[in-house]
Amino acid sequence: MDETKQQDNPSAHRSFHPEKYAPTKGPGRTVSQEESGNPHGTPSKSMGSRGEEQSKGSGDKGMHDLGPRGRSQRPSGTKDASASTGVDPQEPPGTRSAG
């Protein structure tokens, strides 16, 4: 048998009946001339291209597309040292010849 007891909470009843317990609405505020109309300005046309369009013909140096993989058919690929922007780019581990 569960011995949990719920305490009385008169505040909960007031919260769910605002029409009876809430104070009346105040006068509010006046909207300035600067705020009236569209406060966000006019929308601008995007000049960039979508990611899908960028990836189709990018041909980035050092990047190698391996096509879609697995059940999800997500795109996959690799990159070599020429795709690195570091100070001393090196081939990824496993691609160098042992020596």
Side-chain angles (χ1 to χ4, degrees):
M1 178 159 36
D2 189 8
E3 296 294 323
T4 307
K5 294 181 181 170
Q6 187 171 354
Q7 295 178 336
D8 285 338
N9 185 356
S11 168
H13 178 75
R14 290 193 302 269
S15 296
F16 288 98
H17 296 88
E19 69 283 348
K20 184 175 179 183
Y21 296 101
T24 59
K25 196 171 184 179
R29 68 179 187 90
T30 57
V31 178
S32 69
Q33 181 68 31
E34 292 83 19
E35 288 181 302
S36 64
N38 184 357
H40 303 292
T42 20
S44 61
K45 180 76 174 152
S46 174
M47 300 304 283
S49 54
R50 297 173 51 182
E52 295 89 348
E53 295 163 359
Q54 289 179 5
S55 67
K56 285 183 181 166
S58 64
D60 288 332
K61 182 178 146 190
M63 303 298 278
H64 307 285
D65 185 13
L66 297 179
R69 295 182 68 177
R71 267 188 4 200
S72 66
Q73 294 295 297
R74 289 186 176 175
S76 64
T78 61
K79 64 179 183 175
D80 57 29
S82 65
S84 177
T85 58
V87 175
D88 184 21
Q90 298 176 356
E91 290 295 324
T95 58
R96 283 193 246 162
S97 59

